[in-house]
Amino acid sequence: MHGRFSACLKCKTKLPVLWVNLMVTKEDLKKHLLSMKDFISAQCTAFIQYTRPYLHDTAAKAVENKESIIKISVPLVLIWAALYSCSASQRLVAQNVSDIFDISDDIRFQYAGKPDYWGLSTQTVLQEKMISDSFIKDGKIHLAGGEEILIGNGANADVVMPRATSFDIVLPHLNKAQCISYAESKISKEDIVKLQRISISNSSGVYAFEWGSGKYQLPVKKYAGKDICTGSDNTLIWTIQ
């Protein structure tokens, strides 16, 4: 038994042919890696050479179209600026109209125990400090946007006479766009019940929007002021009861 074991140790066992074929030496591996590197480099070079004309043409067209791009961009920027300006203007009008009714509330509170608004005028409002100091600047009444308003009776804001149960808040010197915006501005449900009428006064006459079934009705509909407001010097009058 011992002899057979010794003889087995001395024999040389051959590996299967498949194993031998799969074995790769260090040198062979290095050659394969270098070959792959060269292949990838060649492909990248070919790709760059193939795409370079297209990139060049794209850059050239961009330069050629620069003037066209500018021509298209400028009107778009102007349109955006106009829309932004219009939106900001509408917000200012809405705030000013809200201020008008805040001022009217302060005046109505002061006259709550009286039978009428006799003696009311811009001057009496200022002298008796009927409204918030935030609306008073340099001895005049101003809205949040800086526009001056007058208080009294009619477009000239005259002193309110005895037995008058309403008064006017007057916003003068409006151009056509401002006139339309103020006339058609939305009024809250809480404030509109205090309103007796809205009047537009200009060189063409006085146009009063009132409750009822007349030609000019409250609330003022969209585009209703388009044919009434003139190019300049329009006066808006809110009659509060």
Side-chain angles (χ1 to χ4, degrees), residues 49-78:
Q49 291 177 347
Y50 177 78
T51 57
R52 184 176 293 166
Y54 294 99
L55 295 174
H56 178 76
D57 290 344
T58 301
K61 288 179 180 178
V63 173
E64 291 175 0
N65 293 333
K66 183 178 180 181
E67 185 176 348
S68 298
I69 293 172
I70 292 174
K71 288 181 178 179
I72 295 172
S73 299
V74 170
L76 291 176
V77 171
L78 292 176

Side-chain angles (χ1 to χ4, degrees), residues 103-104 106-108 110-111 119-133 135-136 139-141 149-152 167-169:
I103 290 171
S104 75
D106 290 340
I107 295 172
R108 292 171 78 240
Q110 294 292 329
Y111 282 84
L120 179 63
S121 67
T122 304
Q123 196 61 31
T124 56
V125 170
L126 293 170
Q127 288 176 349
E128 298 182 22
K129 298 182 179 179
M130 294 184 182
I131 62 176
S132 170
D133 290 339
F135 296 118
I136 301 174
K140 296 179 180 180
I141 303 173
I149 61 170
L150 305 171
I151 297 170
F167 65 93
D168 296 324
I169 296 181

Side-chain angles (χ1 to χ4, degrees), residues 133-203:
D133 290 339
S134 62
F135 296 118
I136 301 174
K137 183 179 179 182
D138 299 328
K140 296 179 180 180
I141 303 173
H142 292 271
L143 301 174
E147 293 82 355
E148 182 185 356
I149 61 170
L150 305 171
I151 297 170
N153 178 49
N156 297 322
D158 300 321
V159 176
V160 177
M161 294 290 101
R163 299 183 182 180
T165 56
S166 64
F167 65 93
D168 296 324
I169 296 181
V170 183
L171 180 59
H173 312 306
L174 301 175
N175 61 35
K176 183 166 186 173
Q178 292 171 324
C179 175
I180 294 172
S181 295
Y182 278 103
E184 300 175 2
S185 180
K186 290 184 178 180
I187 301 172
S188 69
K189 292 179 180 179
E190 294 77 15
D191 289 332
I192 203 165
V193 296
K194 309 164 191 172
L195 189 65
Q196 189 175 85
R197 63 179 171 269
I198 293 178
S199 303
I200 300 173
S201 176
N202 52 38
S203 58

Side-chain angles (χ1 to χ4, degrees), residues 1 13 20 56 63 70 77 79 81 90 100 111 119 127 138 141 178 182 202 216 222-223 227 229 240:
M1 182 71 178
T13 304
V20 173
H56 178 76
V63 173
I70 292 174
V77 171
I79 291 171
Q90 291 299 322
I100 285 171
Y111 282 84
Q127 288 176 349
D138 299 328
I141 303 173
Q178 292 171 324
Y182 278 103
N202 52 38
Y216 304 111
K222 194 172 181 63
Y223 306 119
D227 297 327
C229 297
I240 310 296

